[in-house]
Amino acid sequence: MNQRGDDFRHDGAFTGAAVFEHAQTAVVVADRAGRLRHINPYARAMFGLSADDGHLLGRSFTDLGIQDSDRDRADQLVRRVLRGETWDGTFAVVRADSAWLHIRVSAVPLKSPAGAVDGFVVFADEALRSGRVEDLYGLLDRVGSRLAGSLEFGSTMKAVAEILVPQFAHHCFIDLFDHDRLVRHVSVHAEGWTPPAGTWFDVGEEVRYPDRHFVYTAMRRFETVLVSDYAYAYETDDARSARVAEQVGVTSAIAAPLRARGELLGVLTLALSRLSPRQKTRYGGFDRDLVGALASRVALAIDNARLFEEERRTALAFQQSLLPRGEFPPFDGLTIAHRYVPAKPLEAHGHGIQTQVGGDFYDVIPLSAGRVGLVIGDVEGRGPHAAAVMGQMRAALRAFAQADREPADILLALDEWVRQLGRPDGSGGTWVPSVSCLYMVYDAWSRELSYANAGHQAPLLINDGQVEELALEVSDTLLGVRARGGSGLEDAVYHQANLELPAGATLLLYTDGLVDRRPLGGSVDIPRSMEYLYERVREVADKDVDQIAETALTAVPGEIDDDTALLVVRTHPGELAMEEGWFIAEAPTVGDARHLASSTFKNWGMDRDQAELACLLVSEIVTNVVIHATPHPVRREFTADGVKDSAELPGLGALGGGGGDEFDEDWSDLLEEAGEEPAPPQATEFLLRLRRGAESVWVEVFDRDLRLPRIRSAGADDEGGRGLYLVDQLATRWGSRPTPDGKAVWFEVPLKSE
C-alpha cells in the first residue's frame, strides 16, 4: 500500500532480471573466481561488445578491456569485495573498437541467504559524463601517465585523441607549427563522424584562422580561451565551417596554446556538440583551467616526441650511411637480397635513443676474377659507439678483402683492428667491443665457398625445398676477445675452410636480432624462434630471394629489441663459361697461351676488336710470368702460426720449413756438393684461366713465384718494362693476389658481343 493507501500494482514491469536489463547503468555480475556471469545491455554498449556476449561469459572480469596499468586495481577490487566490503574507484578501459574510456566503478558483494559471499556486482558508467571534479582530476592524472609512456610523435598524437574523445569532448583538433605554417595533425570526432570535405581543415592541411577567431586569440595571448556558448563564435568562422558547426550542433569550445621551453608549438582545440547525449553540454571555468593544465602536459609530450624523433632520424641516418646504399650491382652466378631493420624503441625501458642504432652489418664485395665476398656480423652493444665501430669494421674489412687477402688472414687483421677501438671503462682499464663476423668468398665458376668465422651463427642452407643449418667446419672466437691459455692471454687464431654449394642453393645469412625476439608478455626462446624461422622459410623456399628475405623478417613473432641484418644469396643453376690450360714457362708458349685465349674469345662471340685487346693483355701478362718465373717452386702455407714460405734451393735441404733437417753448423756436406755440377733447372708451369660473365671477361694467370708484380717507370730507351703499364691503362681492372702455391695475376675487360 502506498502513502495514499492504494495497493501497489504487481504487473511485473520492474521485477527480476528486467531491472538489470533496462537499467541505464552498466551492470556486471561475476562469481568468486572473478568469472563473468552476466553483462546487461547498457554494459555491452559501453564496452563496445556485440549483442551476443556469450563468448565472454566464464572469462575473467579484467577481459572487459581494463588496461594493463589498472590490473592491480582490478585485483584489489575483487579481493576487497570478496571480503564483504564495497569498492569505489575508476578504471581506464579500452573498448572493443579501440576507443579509450575513463569509467567510474562501484562494486558490492553478492551474498547468499546464508551470508556467504558468492560473487560481486559491478555498477559502472563513463566517469566524465557526470562532470565530477574528482573524475576530471583523475583524467588529468591519466593523461600525464599515458603521455609519459610515449616517445614517438605519432603515438603521442594518437594517445591524446584517444584520451579526450569521447570522454571529455566530441571533437579534438591539434594544430602544430611547421616552420611558419600551422598544420593540422589531429582531427578526431566522436561516434565515427567525419566532417564533409572542404569544410573543416583535414589532417595535413595548412590551417588559417581569422584574426578575431578564438583559436587565434589563444595563440596570440598565450592563454586558454573558453567559448561557453558557441553561437557567438559562428560569426568568426567562414561560411562553410559555420554551417557544419551549426549542423552538428557545436555548443561550446576551448582553445589552449601548446607551449614548451618558451616556444609556441601550436594549439589544442576541444569542442562539445550534439553528436552523442551527455549530462554536461557546455564547458565552464573549471574545464578551461583543466584544459590549460592538460595542454601544458600535451605540449611537453609533443616537444619530447619531436626531439626524440629528430635524434632518432639523425642516429638512423648515421647508421644507414655506414651500411651499403641501395641495391648491390649484379654479380655473375648470384642473386642477392638484403635487409636491415633497426630495433623498435623501448620507451618503457628507459633506453631512449640507445635502442635505435646497433652494430649489425653486412656487405657484398666484388673481388678479383668475378669472385664475391659475403659479410655478416654484429658489434656488441647498441648506440652511437657500436654503430661507429661497425662502420670502421666494415670499411677495414672491405679494404682487406679488395686486397685479395685470405678470409682467415682478414679476420686476424680485424681482430687486431678491433682491439685498437677500445675505450676507457671507468675503472682504469679498457673496454674492447666483441664482434662476431662471418666472411665468405664465393667463386661462381667452381661453386667453391671459402670462409672464416669469428663466432657468428651459421647461415641457413635452403636447397630442394629443405632448410637446414649450413655445416661449417670451423668457428673461432669473437673478434676482440683474447683466448686464455696456460700463460695468460693468447692471441686469437682463425682457421679457414672450403665447401662446395649445390647449384641453385640459397644461403640465408642473418644476425641474432632475427630470432632474439620477445613475445608480448613472454621471454626469448631461441629454439622456438628457430622453429618458426625454419617453418616459414621452408614455405617460400622456391620463391625469389626478396620474398624469402621478407618472410624471414616476419617469421618470428615478438618485439624487435635488437637491430637485424640479413643477406639472402642464391646460386644460379647453370654453369658459367670457363676455359683453362697449363703451359711451360718458356718463351715459345706465349703464342700457345695467346692462341687459347683467341679461340676461346671467338667461341664466346666476343667483339673482334675487344678480343684483340684482351689477347694483347694476355700476351703481356704471360710474358711477364715467363721472364720472372723461378725454376724452383716455392710453396706458401697458411698455418696457425701465420703465413710460412718454404723454398727448395739447389744443393740445400729444406730451409725454413717443409720438414727438412735442422740447421747444422757442419759445412762439410755443403763443400762437397759445391764441387759437383749443378743440376739443370727444372722448367716451371703456369695456368691460364679464362672466365666469361654477363658483362665482363676475366683472365687469370697462376704461377709459383711469390713475388707480386708492380708497375715500374720505363725509360725512353728501355726495350721492356711497359707490359703492366699497358694492362693498367687498357683493362677495366687488374691486380694480383697471393695463393697457397705462389700468386695469381688477373685483369678484367668488358664483354662486347659482335
Side-chain angles (χ1 to χ4, degrees):
M1 180 176 293
N2 60 21
Q3 292 180 348
R4 293 180 297 177
D6 299 328
D7 291 336
F8 285 113
R9 297 171 57 187
H10 299 284
D11 55 6
F14 301 104
T15 60
V19 174
F20 288 144
E21 293 298 312
H22 296 285
Q24 293 303 294
T25 189
V27 180
V28 177
V29 181
D31 60 18
R32 285 190 58 87
R35 295 187 294 263
L36 297 173
R37 294 305 181 190
H38 178 75
I39 306 173
N40 76 335
Y42 189 94
R44 288 196 294 268
M46 186 178 73
F47 290 113
L49 306 175
S50 61
D52 180 16
D53 60 358
H55 68 285
L56 275 177
L57 297 182
R59 298 180 64 177
S60 173
F61 165 67
T62 56
D63 289 336
L64 288 174
I66 297 176
Q67 287 191 338
D68 293 340
S69 58
D70 282 345
R71 291 297 178 96
D72 290 340
R73 291 164 58 83
D75 293 339
Q76 182 189 50
L77 177 152
V78 174
R79 290 194 302 269
R80 182 174 296 181
V81 175
L82 291 181
R83 290 199 302 262
E85 304 174 13
T86 60
W87 191 92
D88 184 77
T90 59
F91 287 127
V93 172
V94 179
R95 288 163 42 101
D97 58 4
S98 300
W100 187 90
L101 290 178
H102 183 55
I103 63 172
R104 172 159 293 280
V105 173
S106 294
V108 297
L110 188 64
K111 294 184 177 181
S112 66
V117 178
D118 294 332
F120 57 90
V121 181
V122 172
F123 301 94
D125 209 341
E126 295 184 40
L128 300 183
R129 289 185 181 275
S130 63
R132 293 175 53 173
V133 173
E134 56 268 32
D135 290 341
L136 296 177
Y137 278 125
L139 171 68
L140 185 62
D141 181 64
R142 290 185 179 278
V143 167
S145 300
R146 186 79 178 276
L147 295 179
S150 175
L151 285 176
E152 291 183 305
F153 184 75
S155 60
T156 299
M157 297 295 94
K158 182 180 178 182
V160 172
E162 288 178 348
I163 291 170
L164 297 176
V165 178
Q167 293 293 284
F168 189 73
H170 289 117
H171 312 274
C172 174
F173 307 98
I174 297 180
D175 306 324
L176 300 176
F177 281 104
D178 183 2
H179 297 92
D180 295 333
R181 299 169 61 245
L182 187 65
V183 179
R184 178 144 296 171
H185 283 261
V186 171
S187 178
V188 177
H189 311 275
E191 304 296 326
W193 179 79
T194 302
T199 54
W200 290 352
F201 295 104
D202 202 354
V203 173
E205 294 182 348
E206 182 178 0
V207 181
R208 296 179 180 273
Y209 292 106
D211 292 347
R212 297 174 54 198
H213 199 279
F214 72 97
V215 176
Y216 181 83
T217 301
M219 290 189 292
R220 179 168 54 86
R221 295 180 178 177
F222 299 138
E223 63 182 32
T224 305
V225 175
L226 166 67
V227 180
S228 58
D229 189 349
Y230 202 80
Y232 297 104
Y234 287 144
E235 60 186 24
T236 61
D237 287 338
D238 62 74
R240 291 181 301 176
S241 296
R243 185 163 55 254
V244 173
E246 186 175 1
Q247 290 174 354
V248 79
V250 176
T251 58
S252 185
I254 298 176
L258 300 174
R259 300 182 64 195
R261 295 182 294 132
E263 179 183 357
L264 180 64
L265 305 180
V267 62
L268 167 67
T269 306
L270 303 175
L272 293 173
S273 67
R274 293 194 296 268
L275 282 180
S276 63
R278 59 194 310 134
Q279 296 178 4
K280 188 173 183 177
T281 59
R282 298 184 188 277
Y283 291 128
F286 179 81
D287 302 308
R288 176 192 59 206
D289 297 339
L290 178 70
V291 173
L294 179 65
S296 65
R297 300 194 179 196
V298 172
L300 184 60
I302 291 174
D303 187 55
N304 288 337
R306 277 185 162 179
L307 291 175
F308 176 78
E309 289 291 329
E310 182 179 352
E311 292 181 359
R312 180 184 184 186
R313 286 192 298 268
T314 301
L316 291 179
F318 166 63
Q319 185 174 34
Q320 293 288 355
S321 69
L322 302 176
L323 291 170
R325 299 182 181 180
E327 295 299 322
F328 290 112
F331 294 100
D332 290 301
L334 288 178
T335 304
I336 298 174
H338 59 97
R339 297 291 187 274
Y340 174 78
V341 180
K344 179 183 180 298
L346 301 181
E347 302 98 335
H349 293 71
H351 298 298
I353 197 65
Q354 293 295 319
T355 63
Q356 292 307 300
V357 293
D360 290 14
F361 63 96
Y362 63 94
D363 208 348
V364 180
I365 307 170
L367 303 177
S368 62
R371 301 177 307 142
V372 180
L374 306 173
V375 184
I376 192 80
D378 187 2
V379 178
E380 173 191 9
R382 300 190 183 104
H385 182 70
V389 172
M390 175 268 289
Q392 296 179 72
M393 275 284 303
R394 179 173 168 264
L397 194 152
R398 177 171 275 262
F400 293 148
Q402 291 183 328
D404 278 320
R405 299 177 66 169
E406 294 291 328
D409 190 25
I410 288 177
L411 291 191
L412 189 62
L414 287 176
D415 178 67
E416 184 61 33
W417 182 275
V418 171
R419 297 184 200 284
Q420 299 176 14
L421 300 179
R423 59 178 180 177
D425 58 7
S427 59
T430 301
W431 175 81
V432 177
S434 59
V435 181
S436 69
C437 182
L438 173 62
Y439 178 60
M440 316 177 98
V441 176
Y442 179 66
D443 188 331
W445 283 263
S446 65
R447 302 192 187 282
E448 184 176 81
L449 190 71
S450 303
Y451 68 92
N453 187 15
H456 199 81
Q457 55 261 36
L460 298 187
L461 175 64
I462 308 168
N463 189 38
D464 292 333
Q466 300 299 314
V467 181
E468 60 183 359
E469 188 176 272
L470 181 66
L472 299 182
E473 295 181 9
V474 297
S475 182
D476 298 305
T477 185
L478 297 171
L479 303 177
V481 178
R482 290 185 182 272
R484 185 170 293 278
S487 60
L489 296 178
E490 299 178 352
D491 289 336
V493 177
Y494 295 97
H495 302 87
Q496 185 172 318
N498 301 324
L499 57 86
E500 185 174 337
L501 288 182
T506 303
L507 288 181
L508 173 60
L509 295 82
Y510 62 95
T511 57
D512 55 3
L514 188 67
V515 294
D516 190 7
R517 298 184 180 179
R518 177 169 45 85
L520 187 62
S523 58
V524 176
D525 186 349
I526 297 298
R528 182 59 176 160
S529 296
M530 294 301 300
E531 292 179 7
Y532 283 128
L533 182 61
Y534 277 55
E535 179 181 351
R536 292 297 309 281
V537 170
R538 191 178 297 112
E539 295 173 357
V540 294
D542 58 341
K543 306 298 182 181
D544 60 67
V545 291
D546 282 293
Q547 190 165 347
I548 292 176
E550 289 296 330
T551 301
L553 282 179
T554 58
V556 180
E559 297 183 5
I560 306 176
D561 293 343
D562 194 6
D563 54 340
T564 302
L566 63 86
L567 275 175
V568 181
V569 181
R570 173 170 291 168
T571 64
H572 291 183
E575 297 289 337
L576 297 179
M578 182 178 71
E579 290 290 339
E580 62 182 21
W582 283 94
F583 300 91
I584 301 296
E586 297 176 346
T589 61
V590 175
D592 297 336
R594 178 168 179 145
H595 177 72
L596 173 63
S598 178
S599 59
T600 301
F601 295 153
K602 182 178 180 179
N603 293 336
W604 288 349
M606 194 172 177
D607 177 74
R608 181 176 179 179
D609 293 338
Q610 196 72 9
E612 285 294 330
L613 172 64
C615 287
L616 171 64
L617 301 184
V618 169
S619 298
E620 296 297 337
I621 294 292
V622 171
T623 299
N624 194 68
V625 169
V626 171
I627 292 175
H628 299 285
T630 173
H632 306 287
V634 181
R635 180 173 182 81
R636 174 179 287 118
E637 296 181 356
F638 298 93
T639 69
D641 298 325
V643 180
K644 289 186 175 182
D645 299 332
S646 59
E648 291 290 335
L649 301 178
L652 297 181
L655 299 179
D661 297 333
E662 294 183 359
F663 180 75
D664 193 341
E665 294 186 2
D666 183 3
W667 293 72
S668 58
D669 56 341
L670 299 181
L671 295 175
E672 293 176 0
E673 294 177 3
E676 300 175 358
E677 290 291 331
Q682 297 180 355
T684 60
E685 293 182 321
F686 67 87
L687 172 67
L688 173 65
R689 178 178 294 164
L690 310 173
R691 295 182 169 194
R692 177 187 175 182
E695 299 178 354
S696 299
V697 168
W698 287 274
V699 175
E700 292 179 289
V701 178
F702 298 83
D703 69 356
R704 292 185 172 87
D705 187 1
L706 297 179
R707 297 167 295 177
L708 298 180
R710 59 184 179 86
I711 300 176
R712 68 181 181 90
S713 300
D717 299 330
D718 291 347
E719 296 182 359
R722 297 179 177 85
L724 289 181
Y725 178 79
L726 286 176
V727 175
D728 182 67
Q729 294 297 311
L730 299 178
T732 304
R733 293 191 305 155
W734 82 279
S736 60
R737 68 177 185 272
T739 65
D741 296 318
K743 69 174 182 298
V745 183
W746 61 273
F747 68 84
E748 174 189 350
V749 292
L751 176 63
K752 297 180 181 179
S753 301
E754 291 185 331

